[in-house]
Amino acid sequence: MAFLSAGCDTANDDDIFGEFRADVTVDGARENAQDDDNETEEGRLKGEAVYTVVETEHGQEFVLGLFVGDLFDSQYDEYQFISFRRKGGVPGVGAYAVEEDPQRSGVTASYANVLDADESDLSLAEDERARGPLLYGVDGTLVITEVDPVGVVSGSFRFDARGIQVQNTSRFVDGTADGEFVARYERPSLLLGRGLNL
């Protein structure tokens, strides 16, 4: 169930149109951008914010992708993004629960920061193999503060997450993500054509 929320001016600033800013931690340590240029002066991650609506076998699904750097920096073997998915079309203004297994009104969330994702050969040197965290949201909220009919969705989020470091899949790690976004619409083929599991 969506609840109306008080407006959040932070995410509506013109200086982040089509962009996001976020703090992400994994096991208590702040996550850095793969490229230092993609951090703000406060050390927050920043990048491109886009959304789309895809048709699935179960109907429409809203997909929000927050890509550190820009959408094209995240492809196949190196990627850093936060993503949200929700059944149905573009959600209205309100607060939506982040859940591991959402029902009709919940949202799934994830965070990934992986280098050399296509390299799993154990004969490679450790720094040449796939490495980085993959986490999924277990609790939290995605807040939509504005839906503009010209193709802009604004809001904020905060979620707790759990997952693994891909170089050691036997050990679980915990994390948090907290940020704001002003996302612009993109066609599904462009957003989903990066070869990523959003």
Side-chain angles (χ1 to χ4, degrees):
M1 171 185 275
F3 298 95
L4 292 181
S5 65
C8 174
D9 294 334
T10 308
N12 294 322
D13 293 339
D14 289 338
D15 63 339
I16 65 167
F17 175 77
E19 297 180 349
F20 80 96
R21 294 181 185 142
D23 288 305
V24 178
T25 63
V26 176
D27 271 359
R30 181 189 289 265
E31 282 285 286
N32 297 312
Q34 292 176 2
D35 177 348
D36 292 340
D37 291 339
N38 296 320
E39 291 178 17
T40 66
E41 290 179 7
E42 302 85 26
R44 304 182 85 198
L45 300 178
K46 66 178 182 178
E48 192 168 7
V50 295
Y51 76 90
T52 198
V53 175
V54 298
E55 288 293 336
T56 72
E57 61 187 36
H58 304 292
Q60 288 188 331
E61 197 165 336
F62 170 76
V63 180
L64 172 63
L66 310 177
F67 298 90
V68 176
D70 68 38
L71 174 62
F72 297 101
D73 288 338
S74 289
Q75 294 191 55
Y76 306 105
D77 63 338
E78 293 187 358
Y79 43 86
Q80 188 173 15
F81 63 83
I82 299 166
S83 70
F84 299 91
R85 290 183 82 115
R86 181 178 184 273
K87 292 179 182 177
V90 177
V93 170
Y96 301 88
V98 171
E99 303 171 355
E100 291 179 62
D101 184 21
Q103 299 300 319
R104 289 176 26 171
S105 61
V107 175
T108 61
S110 62
Y111 171 70
N113 180 10
V114 178
L115 295 167
D116 298 318
D118 56 343
E119 298 293 348
S120 58
D121 186 347
L122 295 179
S123 67
L124 293 171
E126 188 171 320
D127 64 347
E128 295 176 341
R129 282 184 258 155
R131 59 199 180 281
L134 289 172
L135 295 96
Y136 59 92
V138 295
D139 189 31
T141 308
L142 172 67
V143 178
I144 305 295
T145 56
E146 183 179 359
V147 178
D148 191 309
V150 299
V152 176
V153 173
S154 303
S156 61
F157 58 89
R158 167 73 174 81
F159 65 88
D160 297 321
R162 185 166 172 81
I164 59 167
Q165 294 278 356
V166 295
Q167 65 269 38
N168 181 6
T169 58
S170 62
R171 186 176 74 85
F172 284 99
V173 295
D174 295 310
T176 62
D178 182 2
E180 61 272 344
F181 61 89
V182 179
R184 61 181 174 71
Y185 176 80
E186 263 309 343
R187 63 188 186 278
S189 60
L190 186 63
L191 184 57
L192 302 182
R194 312 267 55 86
L196 303 171
N197 183 16
L198 297 175

